Amino acid sequence: MKLERILQNQGFGSRRQCRQLVELGEVRINGEVVDDPGAEIPTSGLVYEIEGEAWTYREKTYLALYKPAGFECSHEPKHHRGVYSLLPHPLVVRNVQSVGRLDVDTTGLLLFSDDGAFIHNLSSPKKHVPKVYRAELAEDGTDALVERLLAGVSLIDEPQPVKALTARLLAPRTLEMSIDLGKYHVVKRMIAAAGNHVDKLHRHGFGGLALGEGVLAGLAEGEWVYLEAADLQQLHPAA
């Protein structure tokens, strides 16, 4: 593939902007400046530098972000900063989208991709991909609360009771529960219907990935990491 096309494809601007980057000597491959925009470059395993920063060619991009509180899951946020401001500009230009959303005050694991099929497989309610949440409760939790969530609670806009896949108390006011729904405020609404309220909400896991484990070990709030093939395999069986 021509070098200028590679750079455009990877989110470094228009064809003209990418051509200028190359002609200005800002692109290196194997440590050597490549200043011919039309140079044919194999993309398999390609690592290149733009203005001194190393990048790996990726046909599709898959990311995990540890979302902090106070960020909207929108390209056009209205009242707070957008989560996309936490990602490098070329990834935003590539039009990565979040897999579902987290409320502005909810923290935790958020996935992104520019692969539409991947996003659909993890977002579709028919796929039943589990998500694990940890809720800080307004009042001490009880065994009865856990039992209600597991048995199913009635929500106004749902024809059938909505059940948690799992639920347990980690501390008197810390509840961990997993669901395979993606409905608006569903965790907060379920806990309210079960007789308590959520003060803080955190998504700990998505599919087979969890914060603090594997590729996400050590990831701090506001940080992101690429997901490689082995990481994606932990999601696909659930999807």
Side-chain angles (χ1 to χ4, degrees), residues 70-126:
F71 284 79
E72 295 181 26
C73 292
S74 171
H75 282 285
E76 298 179 356
K78 295 181 179 179
H79 305 293
H80 302 81
R81 291 178 62 190
V83 289
Y84 295 94
S85 67
L86 298 170
L87 302 177
H89 186 63
L91 299 183
V92 179
V93 173
R94 285 189 65 156
N95 199 32
V96 296
Q97 302 293 328
S98 64
V99 180
R101 297 187 174 199
L102 293 177
D103 298 338
V104 65
D105 59 345
T106 299
T107 63
L109 181 55
L110 191 60
L111 306 182
F112 295 83
S113 182
D114 55 2
D115 182 341
F118 171 83
I119 294 173
H120 173 75
N121 282 336
L122 292 180
S123 302
S124 171
K126 295 180 180 179

Side-chain angles (χ1 to χ4, degrees), residues 5-238:
R5 176 74 176 179
I6 289 174
L7 300 185
Q8 182 186 23
N9 168 296
Q10 297 293 288
F12 289 94
S14 66
R15 183 76 69 89
R16 179 180 178 184
Q17 290 170 324
C18 292
R19 188 181 303 123
Q20 289 176 336
L21 269 177
V22 176
E23 291 174 344
L24 289 170
E26 298 291 358
V27 181
R28 290 176 179 265
I29 299 175
N30 296 325
E32 299 293 330
V33 172
V34 180
D35 57 10
D36 177 7
E40 290 287 343
I41 306 294
T43 57
S44 179
L46 174 62
V47 178
Y48 55 97
E49 292 180 34
I50 304 291
E51 298 177 335
E53 183 174 356
W55 296 83
T56 298
Y57 177 86
R58 297 173 187 272
E59 184 176 352
K60 294 293 184 182
T61 297
Y62 308 91
L63 313 170
L65 169 75
Y66 188 159
K67 178 190 173 296
F71 284 79
E72 295 181 26
C73 292
S74 171
H75 282 285
E76 298 179 356
K78 295 181 179 179
H79 305 293
H80 302 81
R81 291 178 62 190
V83 289
Y84 295 94
S85 67
L86 298 170
L87 302 177
H89 186 63
L91 299 183
V92 179
V93 173
R94 285 189 65 156
N95 199 32
V96 296
Q97 302 293 328
S98 64
V99 180
R101 297 187 174 199
L102 293 177
D103 298 338
V104 65
D105 59 345
T106 299
T107 63
L109 181 55
L110 191 60
L111 306 182
F112 295 83
S113 182
D114 55 2
D115 182 341
F118 171 83
I119 294 173
H120 173 75
N121 282 336
L122 292 180
S123 302
S124 171
K126 295 180 180 179
K127 300 298 183 178
H128 299 287
V129 182
K131 296 117 183 152
V132 179
Y133 292 86
R134 291 178 177 171
E136 295 301 320
L137 304 174
E139 302 173 0
D140 285 359
T142 62
D143 291 340
L145 172 72
V146 171
E147 290 169 5
R148 290 188 199 108
L149 292 168
L150 292 172
V153 294
S154 296
L155 301 181
I156 292 175
D157 56 351
E158 295 299 324
Q160 301 294 331
V162 177
K163 299 179 182 180
L165 300 175
T166 64
R168 60 175 180 152
L169 288 168
L170 301 181
R173 294 200 179 190
T174 303
L175 173 77
E176 180 180 88
M177 61 182 281
S178 63
I179 57 171
D180 58 5
L181 304 170
K183 298 183 181 294
Y184 183 70
H185 286 172
V186 66
V187 174
K188 295 177 181 177
R189 291 161 61 210
M190 288 175 69
I191 291 173
N196 208 313
H197 293 281
V198 174
D199 278 344
K200 292 182 181 180
L201 189 62
H202 172 81
R203 183 196 278 165
H204 179 68
F206 197 128
L209 295 178
L211 290 170
E213 300 176 12
V215 68
L216 306 182
L219 197 65
E221 286 194 11
E223 294 182 343
W224 64 274
V225 65
Y226 284 112
L227 298 177
E228 306 295 351
D231 308 312
L232 299 180
Q233 287 176 2
Q234 297 183 56
L235 290 167
H236 288 317

